[in-house]
Amino acid sequence: MTTASNDPNFEERYYVPHGSHWPVVGSVGLLFLMIGVSSWLNGADAGFYIMLTGFAVIIFMLTGWFGTVIGESISGLYNAKVDKSFRQGMFWFIFSEVMFFAAFFGALFYARNMSIPWLGGDSNNFFTNLLLWSGYESTWPTNGPGNIGGAYEAMPPLGLPLINTVLLLTSSITVTIAHHALIAGKRTQLTVFLAATFLLGFVFVYLQGVEYIEAYEHMNLKLSTGIYGSTFFMLTGFHGMHVTIGAIMLTIIWFRVLKGHFSADKHFAFEAVAWYWHFVDVVWVALYVFVYWM
Amino acid sequence: MNTAAIDIPHHDDHGPAKGIGRWLFSTNHKDIGTMYLIFSLTMFFIGGLMAMVIRSELAIPGLQFVHPEFFNQMTTMHALIMVFGAIMPAFVGLANWMIPLQIGAPDMALPRMNNWSFWILPVAFGILLSTLFMPGGSPAGGWTMYPPLVLQTGDAFPFLIFSVHLMGLSSIMGAINIIVTVINMRAPDMTLLKMPMFVWTWLITAYLLIAVMPVLAGAVTMLLTDQFFDTSFFLAAGGGDPVMFQHIFWFFGHPEVYIMILPAFGVVSEIIPTFSRKKLFGHDSMVYAASCIAFLSFIVWAHHMFTVGMPLTGQLFFMFATMLIAVPTGVKIFNWVATMWRGAMTFETPMLFSLAFVFLFTIGGFSGLMLAVAPADVQYHDTYFVVAHFHYVLVPGSVFAIMAGAYYWLPKWTGHMYNETLAKVHFWASTIFVNITFFPMHFLGLAGMPRRIPDYSTQFADFNTVASIGAIGFGLSQLLFVWVLLTAKKGAKASDRVWEGAHGLEWTVPSPAPYHTFETPPKARIANEAFE
Amino acid sequence: MIRNTILSLLGLALAGTAKAEWALNMPKGVTDLSLETYHLHMMVFWWCVAIGVVVFGVMIISLIKHRKSSGVAPATFSHSTTAEVIWTAIPVVILVLMAVPTAETMVKLEDSRKPDMSIVVTGYQWKWHYKYQDSDIAFYSSLAQSSMEARRKQSGVDPFAVDNYLLEVDRPVVVPRGAKVRLLVTSNDVIHSWWVKDLAIKKDAIPGIINETWFRANETGTYRGQCAELCGKDHGYMPIVVEVVEPEAFEAWVNSHGAEQ
Ligand code: HEA
Ligand code: HEA
Ligand code: CUA
Ligand SMILES: [Cu+2]
């Protein structure tokens, strides 16, 4: 094996791995996962277990795949260019996530500025209101002219959501401090602040769970509460999922820190997770403004 | 010569693995490119067979072969398979093979992920095709999946949604790989504006992909939750709007059609200079034009929705924006013509396909422009005029460009010249039949034949018969292509440069291209490859 | 079945060319706006032809003159800012010339104010329902029985023997000539689209939403159309027939129709 130590062209020679079975394992996992979810949704109970199997295979694949990459990284196979590829890849992955959220923010925007005013008779929809939904006045929040899901309470911006905002913003600061500590070589500070970050993340997820239970049990606010419920739960739900994934990744990174991984100049995985965490944070700010506040 | 020295295999280099593992576990851009291309050809045939079912049923009035519901399934599956299974993977395959060779990179930037992007596709299409055997049949709501109709799909519904998710996942990972490769892995002397056009158009396409595939994923996710979790995104009673889906879908869908044509522009921009023995005219303005097209593609989506009852200002905006796309596209066409002008042309098969591309794509573009005229689109919309338009830009457009690219680079891949005579027969048969198939559809549409119908009024009989005959002819012609491919290794040995007028790094490596190329960046070779 | 096909093909060869409705182009229609639409269509078409002649002309000249076999040496130019500016600017000008009249027609098309009468059109899987706003006339309109029998798979009935195969309904919409008729289009289930080409109207019928459109027919006659948005298995079988009659005849129809109910 050519390694950094004996190859004069190391910086020029891009490391190309040879053969890997992880992707195919991942595809098999996806196959089971998708067939499982689909047949479960279609009412076949076995689907649920197929889905779990697929999920397990995917976790197995992720562990194996990342394990391989970590191993290669530690044995010094990656030059600066490889590192750059990973960074750019992560950046564009996050961009794709931004666009995914954009679709749901777009739906929220469309509902509030187009479809609801139209159902209320705006623009060229005078007759829509007069003949189909007479008496409906456009407001926000709303469960639509059909009063879908019945009477409900809207989620107030203060209380839990505000606390969650503070938690997430703080966690963005702690992860930055951890990053600086890593660069400065202060391992204890790194460990402590990284731990603080994922703990804040998990508390966020917990509080969101509390909020959801409150919504479902006491406010009659559900996914099925018209367009308000739909956008509320889909946006906050997908966000919550991302926080969960992010917090898990932070935890993994934390264990790697404990094992002594990462150095001041080589810590792509750390940065990738940190970026992801900032992204999750920015999405939350947008959510807080557009979903809870306005 | 420094060129020779660079390509001598490195001591720790090894060739392909043995057996099936080579393909399943490959991280080699050439192997993965090959798999993409084979996959895409397979899907082209499956999608094409579905088109044959459609055309057989439509050959004469009256219902002969299939039930209306099955007809709709064929239409839907035909389009999904062609768009996501044939055209897009074919271009990714070409990108995999050629981009590293053209920019002097050892491989794609993220080789393992490259493998995964590919191996997700068989899963996605396996799932999609399996819906044909489910209760209620496969999806039949059109490839546009408009609610509420698509919510009437049977058991196939969640499978449809998740297979679309998988296609998106594959495309996004493929696109990330391409962007990173192009931005990060270029040989040191290759500045952005020195990049070959194929690389440029793919770079822009990859940006489009990352921007819109997640939006499609979002749209179908909303369908899923509307169906199974009682959300109201597309339900007016709940404050949503069925038309909202169309907005989100076409926000993806319009850039998607440019995703299917920009790499085609790239391929043609490689081939025309080669066989004109003249440098590509206006390389930089080609780059700007492609970027312009990509930008405009984000603000024209509602031209698919002129009949949904949008407010007047919206209609006017989308109409004007759409018409504007003719300008940068025109620049491309004119630059190709200027490249040919006063060249010294020869007409090998890749060039023939490229020339037909320029002619026939332009015709498809013209009908696109007619569709952009909103009041007239009220008449054209959802008729065979639209079907004619998009098959002109997709079949003698994208498909011809793929064929052109395949013939152009085939000797580089196999190391042998393909059978030029048969290839020319393939070309002429395809070109003649493609026009017989799709040209009459313009008349059908103008005369008032709606699309997506299994049976029609007798006044439309003649042209439908003509189109069906053409379609069978076109389909059979493609068997020639397969034959040429299967016998591709029997021809004479190809030289490294293959074509007299070819320029670019890919022609400096041996034919067939060795398993590993450019393990260290080629230096000082780029300038030699420029035309001056 | 094969015999049937051959027979039908023969029938087609004989009957096809004799068919009166056989058409190549968009119809001019019977409203002012359908005529305007037709003219827009032709205007853009001729522009495309003109541009096509120039572009393809230059290309063909090049293909004939600048081939290697005729012994030419390739030129070396690869750039010309002047040329590129010209072929960016000219299309822009052409597009502006197209856009202006198009926008004018567009504005008229959307102006459904002050109608003489209104009809609520509701799409169903797979038929239409019409309700005249100012009277109590309301009815469903479905595919005529004659087509219904012939349309079945391998029905054995020759479509050419059926009058207006797939374009006939049991009860047509009747409107007076010269009146501005406003349609309020909606749907009861999935999206449909109400389209009659001679009236140059196509409007999507969307559940939960009412779209407005209008027409004023200048000539009496029977005008046929079809549902133009995929709406499920019988999407091809929900035609539209509009009968435009003289105002007096319309009066009479309303009266007799009212009595019928
Ligand atoms: C590769 C795919 C591709 C490409 C490149 C295009 C290109 C264009 N398309 Fe097309 N289109 C589709 C694929 C594509 N389309 C598909 C699949 C559908 C239907 C989807 C469905 O409903 O299922 C569709 C539908 C569609 C519609 C909706 C029709 C309807 O449903 O009612 C419209 C309307 O504006 C449209 C317009 C255009 C325009 C203006 C262009 C322009 O980009 C064309 C520009 C090119 C030229 C104009 C020719 C060359 C230019 C010159 C020579 C310069 C000078 C010219 C002038 C100044 C005129 N397309
Ligand atoms: C993306 C690319 C793409 C491609 C390449 C094609 C290729 C073809 N398409 Fe497709 N088509 C679409 C995209 C494409 N189409 C889309 C997006 C729609 C809209 C769907 C919707 O409304 O939702 C559509 C819809 C569509 C319709 C309208 C259906 C309807 O409205 O109900 C028709 C009808 O003729 C048609 C025909 C064809 C034909 C004949 C080909 C031919 O070019 C195919 C030729 C290929 C083969 C035939 C396969 C190879 C050969 C063999 C397998 C050998 C054996 C051959 C024989 C036995 C003859 N297509
Ligand atoms: Cu109703 Cu199509
Ligand atoms: Cu479009």
Side-chain angles (χ1 to χ4, degrees):
Chain A
M1 256 296 139
T2 319
T3 57
S5 48
N6 63 17
D7 184 357
N9 291 329
F10 177 69
E11 280 308 324
E12 277 196 342
R13 189 166 321 219
Y14 194 89
Y15 174 73
V16 178
H18 289 290
S20 169
H21 57 275
W22 294 119
V24 175
V25 173
S27 289
V28 173
L30 284 174
L31 179 69
F32 279 86
L33 183 70
M34 295 313 189
I35 290 182
V37 192
S38 301
S39 36
W40 184 41
L41 287 172
N42 280 339
D45 293 337
F48 184 74
Y49 300 98
I50 302 176
M51 176 182 90
L52 286 188
T53 315
F55 198 65
V57 174
I58 288 174
I59 300 283
F60 170 67
M61 176 276 288
L62 288 172
T63 331
W65 189 328
F66 286 127
T68 314
V69 173
I70 293 166
E72 287 172 354
S73 170
I74 288 173
S75 54
L77 288 171
Y78 295 165
N79 61 15
K81 225 173 178 176
V82 176
D83 195 57
K84 212 166 153 192
S85 288
F86 284 146
R87 276 157 209 278
Q88 292 184 357
M90 188 65 193
F91 176 85
W92 290 109
F93 166 67
I94 290 179
F95 178 69
S96 77
E97 292 264 46
V98 170
M99 291 310 293
F100 181 75
F101 276 98
F104 288 90
F105 276 108
L108 176 68
F109 175 85
Y110 184 91
R112 293 186 57 171
N113 294 293
M114 314 275 162
S115 65
I116 288 164
W118 290 346
L119 293 169
D122 241 28
S123 184
N124 54 356
N125 279 274
F126 174 75
F127 285 101
T128 301
N129 186 259
L130 184 78
L131 298 182
L132 296 179
W133 310 112
S134 76
Y136 178 69
E137 278 176 45
S138 74
T139 50
W140 185 263
T142 177
N143 57 354
N147 196 26
I148 300 291
Y152 67 95
E153 269 177 74
M155 188 58 76
L158 300 176
L160 283 184
L162 184 62
I163 298 174
N164 261 348
T165 309
V166 175
L167 289 183
L168 221 48
L169 288 176
T170 316
S171 75
S172 234
I173 298 172
T174 53
V175 79
T176 309
I177 296 176
H179 190 193
H180 284 292
L182 170 60
I183 290 169
K186 300 180 189 152
R187 300 296 287 198
T188 324
Q189 195 183 2
L190 165 65
T191 324
V192 171
F193 276 87
L194 197 54
T197 310
F198 71 72
L199 287 176
L200 286 167
F202 284 123
V203 175
F204 175 96
V205 175
Y206 170 75
L207 289 183
Q208 200 175 22
V210 173
E211 181 191 318
Y212 277 14
I213 290 170
E214 171 76 10
Y216 261 76
E217 296 198 335
H218 303 293
M219 300 162 77
N220 194 31
L221 174 57
K222 302 179 175 172
L223 258 177
S224 51
T225 307
I227 191 70
Y228 175 64
S230 309
T231 48
F232 176 83
F233 283 106
M234 291 299 278
L235 274 162
T236 56
F238 269 117
H239 175 264
M241 242 163 76
H242 281 75
V243 177
T244 314
I245 295 170
I248 293 174
M249 294 197 305
L250 284 166
T251 316
I252 294 169
I253 291 296
W254 185 71
F255 279 111
R256 289 187 60 192
V257 167
L258 290 188
K259 281 178 78 179
H261 290 189
F262 306 124
S263 65
D265 56 338
K266 281 198 92 174
H267 50 262
F268 160 71
F270 182 96
E271 267 184 70
V273 176
W275 291 349
Y276 193 81
W277 197 249
H278 289 309
F279 149 71
V280 164
D281 204 35
V282 170
V283 172
W284 175 260
V285 174
L287 274 180
Y288 191 61
V289 173
F290 292 112
V291 177
Y292 289 93
W293 246 11
M294 289 176 61
Chain B
M1 276 299 288
N2 59 352
T3 24
I6 288 162
D7 291 318
I8 285 175
H10 194 42
H11 65 272
D12 66 301
D13 175 80
H14 45 88
K18 293 277 173 301
I20 184 82
R22 166 173 180 185
W23 304 104
L24 283 178
F25 310 137
S26 182
T27 48
N28 181 289
H29 72 103
K30 301 184 183 88
D31 280 353
I32 295 176
T34 307
M35 289 195 290
Y36 262 113
L37 289 169
I38 292 172
F39 177 81
S40 133
L41 189 63
T42 316
M43 286 297 142
F44 178 67
F45 271 61
I46 297 177
L49 280 175
M50 291 172 174
M52 294 301 118
V53 175
I54 296 172
R55 284 304 343 154
S56 312
E57 184 52 66
L58 291 176
I60 51 170
L63 215 55
Q64 289 87 29
F65 305 113
V66 296
H67 288 288
E69 184 62 16
F70 187 71
F71 181 91
N72 293 345
Q73 295 175 22
M74 285 293 109
T75 298
T76 307
M77 295 287 278
H78 158 68
L80 287 171
I81 287 176
M82 284 298 196
V83 170
F84 295 102
I87 306 288
M88 293 170 66
F91 282 125
V92 182
L94 291 177
N96 253 295
W97 250 104
M98 299 322 296
I99 288 180
L101 287 183
Q102 289 191 319
I103 63 174
D107 205 300
M108 296 296 280
L110 305 160
R112 271 187 280 252
M113 191 171 85
N114 199 20
N115 174 305
W116 205 24
S117 316
F118 172 76
W119 278 109
I120 286 176
L121 285 180
V123 174
F125 285 90
I127 291 178
L128 187 64
L129 284 168
S130 72
T131 61
L132 280 167
F133 309 100
M134 284 176 191
S138 63
W143 81 288
T144 47
M145 302 177 281
Y146 286 2
L149 180 63
V150 75
L151 304 179
Q152 297 181 350
T153 309
D155 278 2
F157 182 74
F159 292 93
L160 166 70
I161 303 298
F162 288 117
S163 70
V164 171
H165 276 140
L166 290 181
M167 294 168 202
L169 192 63
S170 158
S171 292
I172 291 168
M173 292 198 297
I176 291 177
N177 224 331
I178 286 169
I179 292 184
V180 177
T181 307
V182 173
I183 298 296
N184 193 29
M185 309 273 290
R186 273 171 292 129
D189 299 336
M190 187 168 281
T191 58
L192 280 177
L193 278 177
K194 272 190 196 158
M195 283 189 328
M197 270 317 284
F198 179 66
V199 180
W200 254 115
T201 51
W202 240 118
L203 179 65
I204 294 168
T205 304
Y207 285 127
L208 288 181
L209 276 169
I210 300 188
V212 301
M213 291 313 286
V215 175
L216 174 67
V220 296
T221 305
M222 291 180 218
L223 285 180
L224 188 85
T225 57
D226 265 18
Q227 177 81 319
F228 291 109
F229 303 102
D230 300 327
T231 55
S232 304
F233 288 108
F234 310 128
L235 180 69
D241 181 356
V243 176
M244 175 159 81
F245 177 84
Q246 304 184 16
H247 282 286
I248 308 176
F249 179 85
W250 288 115
F251 181 85
F252 145 81
H254 190 81
E256 168 68 20
V257 308
Y258 292 104
I259 288 167
M260 292 189 283
I261 206 68
L262 284 175
F265 288 169
V267 171
V268 168
S269 304
E270 298 290 323
I271 293 173
I272 290 180
T274 296
F275 295 97
S276 305
R277 291 166 182 72
K278 200 159 145 278
K279 203 173 167 184
L280 179 65
F281 187 90
H283 176 280
D284 297 2
S285 63
M286 287 298 231
V287 171
Y288 301 138
S291 318
C292 253
I293 293 175
F295 169 75
L296 286 172
S297 74
F298 285 111
I299 55 166
V300 300
W301 75 85
H303 64 215
H304 296 271
M305 304 165 56
F306 284 137
T307 62
V308 300
M310 256 186 297
L312 177 64
T313 40
Q315 303 206 31
L316 289 174
F317 171 80
F318 285 109
M319 178 174 95
F320 295 144
T322 305
M323 293 172 95
L324 264 187
I325 298 194
V327 178
T329 317
V331 168
K332 304 217 123 209
I333 305 275
F334 300 139
N335 281 5
W336 289 323
V337 175
T339 307
M340 293 178 230
W341 187 252
R342 295 189 46 214
M345 277 185 271
T346 50
F347 302 96
E348 287 86 344
T349 312
M351 182 64 162
L352 288 176
F353 271 106
S354 303
L355 292 173
F357 172 92
V358 178
F359 272 108
L360 300 176
F361 171 79
T362 304
I363 291 177
F366 285 155
S367 58
L369 194 78
M370 297 174 76
L371 292 167
V373 173
D377 183 64
V378 168
Q379 292 282 51
Y380 309 134
H381 177 68
D382 263 320
T383 67
Y384 264 77
F385 192 80
V386 179
V387 178
H389 156 66
F390 67 72
H391 282 94
Y392 259 85
V393 283
L394 283 166
V395 183
S398 313
V399 172
F400 270 29
I402 293 164
M403 303 274 180
Y407 282 119
Y408 184 54
W409 285 308
L410 201 56
K412 177 58 59 191
W413 301 337
T414 62
H416 294 268
M417 298 307 288
Y418 56 84
N419 184 334
E420 185 70 41
T421 321
L422 264 185
K424 285 206 165 113
V425 176
H426 171 223
F427 166 76
W428 285 109
S430 299
T431 305
I432 292 167
F433 282 121
V434 90
N435 285 293
I436 297 178
T437 312
F438 297 116
F439 207 78
M441 292 187 186
H442 291 108
F443 304 132
L444 284 173
L446 292 174
M449 178 168 162
R451 57 193 280 209
R452 298 163 163 176
I453 56 172
D455 194 5
Y456 47 82
S457 159
T458 48
Q459 59 189 310
F460 307 125
D462 304 12
F463 285 127
N464 267 305
T465 311
V466 175
S468 294
I469 293 169
I472 291 169
F474 182 78
L476 291 176
S477 314
Q478 303 321 307
L479 294 175
L480 279 173
F481 182 57
V482 180
W483 184 250
V484 175
L485 291 181
L486 290 178
T487 55
K489 281 202 167 174
K490 296 219 175 104
K493 283 260 343 135
S495 67
D496 293 1
R497 185 139 326 247
V498 182
W499 313 107
E500 186 190 32
H503 285 264
L505 281 180
E506 77 256 43
W507 307 110
T508 65
V509 302
S511 302
Y515 199 60
H516 294 287
T517 34
F518 302 126
E519 287 183 87
T520 51
K523 288 177 189 153
R525 250 201 273 173
I526 287 151
N528 300 337
E529 280 305 318
F531 261 85
E532 285 97 1
Chain C
M1 190 189 72
I2 291 172
R3 209 178 58 117
N4 248 339
T5 315
I6 294 172
L7 279 181
S8 323
L9 275 173
L10 270 178
L12 172 135
L14 295 175
T17 35
K19 279 277 161 189
E21 311 107 305
W22 201 76
L24 284 178
N25 202 355
M26 184 188 281
K28 292 200 175 83
V30 292
T31 72
D32 294 348
L33 281 175
S34 71
L35 193 64
E36 271 188 37
T37 303
Y38 170 81
H39 286 310
L40 283 176
H41 156 71
M42 289 315 282
M43 172 197 64
V44 186
F45 172 72
W46 286 117
W47 271 119
C48 290
V49 170
I51 298 167
V53 166
V54 174
V55 177
F56 298 153
V58 174
M59 208 168 133
I60 289 168
I61 292 174
S62 194
L63 290 181
I64 293 170
K65 282 178 54 189
H66 308 137
R67 39 172 69 220
K68 196 186 169 201
S69 53
S70 60
V72 293
T76 50
F77 67 88
S78 71
H79 183 71
S80 159
T81 312
T82 329
E84 283 170 281
V85 169
I86 291 175
W87 64 52
T88 312
I90 292 180
V92 173
V93 174
I94 296 175
L95 290 173
V96 172
L97 290 179
M98 284 179 196
V100 173
T102 309
E104 282 170 4
T105 305
M106 198 68 235
V107 172
K108 290 186 220 164
L109 212 58
E110 288 297 308
D111 185 3
S112 56
R113 285 171 301 180
K114 302 210 190 78
D116 298 318
M117 59 183 285
S118 293
I119 304 176
V120 179
V121 181
T122 311
Y124 286 78
Q125 279 173 322
W126 290 270
K127 55 183 179 275
W128 293 98
H129 181 265
Y130 299 96
K131 181 172 185 317
Y132 288 64
Q133 279 292 74
D134 318 306
S135 68
D136 52 5
I137 299 177
F139 55 88
Y140 287 99
S141 171
S142 343
L143 186 67
Q145 201 53 40
S146 52
S147 295
M148 208 61 115
E149 275 151 23
R151 62 161 268 211
R152 279 198 308 273
K153 191 174 156 193
Q154 291 166 348
S155 61
V157 183
D158 177 10
F160 288 96
V162 180
D163 278 342
N164 294 308
Y165 177 57
L166 296 185
L167 292 180
E168 192 69 277
V169 294
D170 50 2
R171 304 177 88 176
V173 205
V174 182
V175 297
R177 184 178 62 82
K180 180 168 185 175
V181 180
R182 174 166 62 197
L183 300 180
L184 300 171
V185 187
T186 184
S187 164
N188 185 54
D189 34 51
V190 302
I191 303 178
H192 305 263
S193 192
W194 197 89
W195 177 38
V196 176
K197 64 180 196 286
D198 285 310
L199 305 175
I201 286 189
K202 184 182 287 142
K203 208 58 161 183
D204 288 2
I206 298 163
I209 307 278
I210 288 187
N211 278 329
E212 289 175 49
T213 187
W214 68 277
F215 66 90
R216 188 198 300 274
N218 296 327
E219 287 168 37
T220 57
T222 305
Y223 306 110
R224 295 172 197 282
Q226 276 178 273
C227 176
E229 178 66 57
L230 179 60
C231 53
K233 77 177 165 57
D234 285 354
H235 160 60
Y237 307 99
M238 48 185 292
I240 296 151
V241 179
V242 178
E243 259 170 34
V244 178
V245 297
E246 292 297 347
E248 306 80 57
F250 178 70
E251 232 24 76
W253 179 79
V254 170
N255 293 334
S256 71
H257 209 84
E260 211 176 87
Q261 304 229 305

